Amino acid sequence: MTENQVRGVYPRLQLAYLLQFAIWGSWAVALGGYLNGKMSGPHIGYLFMAIPLGAIIAPMFTGAIADRYFSAQKVLGVLHVIGGAALVACGVVCDQAETRAAGGAVVVPFGALMVLMLISGVCYMPTIPLLNTVVFKHVPDSASAPKVFIFGTAGWIVVNLIVEILGGGAETPHFYFIGGACGILLGLYSFTLPDTPPKGAPAAG
């Protein structure tokens, strides 16, 4: 890789990392406030378990598939599109609950939201190590990686400003649509990232 190519890969990876943590940050702050009074406390707690449950469940199949058969950026793209669509569906479930309430007490159905959040968590958690694989493959050395990783913090901050200023904060379920849009956008963008072949692929010949 030439020096110009190395310089050019940084903004591509930085944008990916910004969107990566914007997805999580979009709902992690606003969710509890939005569901307060619309769902029981224990059920709200279960929804926040989507991420740790995703970390437990996903490696059982995603890691083995990605490491052996498919390039990291392609698996990253597929998972983010599915996870982003699940977050959009969460927003639709909440919107429908508010429509049904017709000005009365809003009750968001726990079952539907839990299933969708779990799908989102299972799809999201493997994307962090997958994106790290892409980063470490294409930056010159590991000491350069923080130049990319710092954009994860920036993504969390920026998306929460957008949710608060433009998305109604915790008063509406728009944060789900914002997070879902970030996920789908990153999914499509991931297919354009530098090729990162599977490390466990059988040797040719």
Side-chain angles (χ1 to χ4, degrees):
M1 188 179 288
T2 67
E3 185 176 345
N4 285 339
Q5 287 174 321
V6 170
R7 285 180 188 153
V9 82
Y10 277 108
R12 297 173 66 190
L13 297 175
Q14 287 163 346
L15 175 58
Y17 229 81
L18 185 146
L19 289 170
Q20 177 73 40
F21 284 91
I23 297 166
W24 191 353
S26 67
W27 62 265
V29 176
L31 180 62
Y34 172 73
L35 290 177
N36 185 33
K38 302 179 180 73
M39 186 180 288
S40 73
H43 282 170
I44 295 173
Y46 293 144
L47 292 175
F48 278 100
M49 289 173 61
I51 289 294
L53 285 174
I56 294 169
I57 297 170
M60 296 178 186
F61 54 93
T62 307
I65 294 172
D67 287 345
R68 187 167 179 81
Y69 298 108
F70 300 103
S71 295
Q73 81 280 359
K74 293 178 181 178
V75 180
L76 193 66
V78 171
L79 290 175
H80 271 310
V81 169
I82 296 171
L87 288 180
V88 171
C90 286
V92 171
V93 168
C94 294
D95 262 348
Q96 289 177 343
E98 295 194 6
T99 301
R100 286 193 300 270
V106 179
V107 178
V108 177
F110 167 72
L113 207 59
M114 186 69 222
V115 169
L116 291 168
M117 286 293 293
L118 188 56
I119 292 171
S120 170
V122 169
C123 289
Y124 180 82
M125 287 310 294
T127 63
I128 297 176
L130 282 169
L131 184 54
N132 287 344
T133 297
V134 175
V135 171
F136 283 115
K137 174 72 175 178
H138 297 285
V139 296
D141 54 72
S142 58
S144 303
K147 296 177 184 178
V148 175
F149 294 158
I150 190 64
F151 279 78
T153 303
W156 187 287
I157 295 169
V158 168
V159 80
N160 275 286
L161 290 173
I162 292 172
V163 166
E164 187 62 34
I165 296 169
L166 302 178
E171 299 300 315
T172 76
H174 293 166
F175 59 87
Y176 270 134
F177 296 113
I178 293 170
C182 289
I184 294 170
L185 175 60
L186 179 52
L188 297 176
Y189 178 65
S190 294
F191 292 110
T192 73
L193 292 175
D195 186 40
T196 309
K199 291 183 291 185

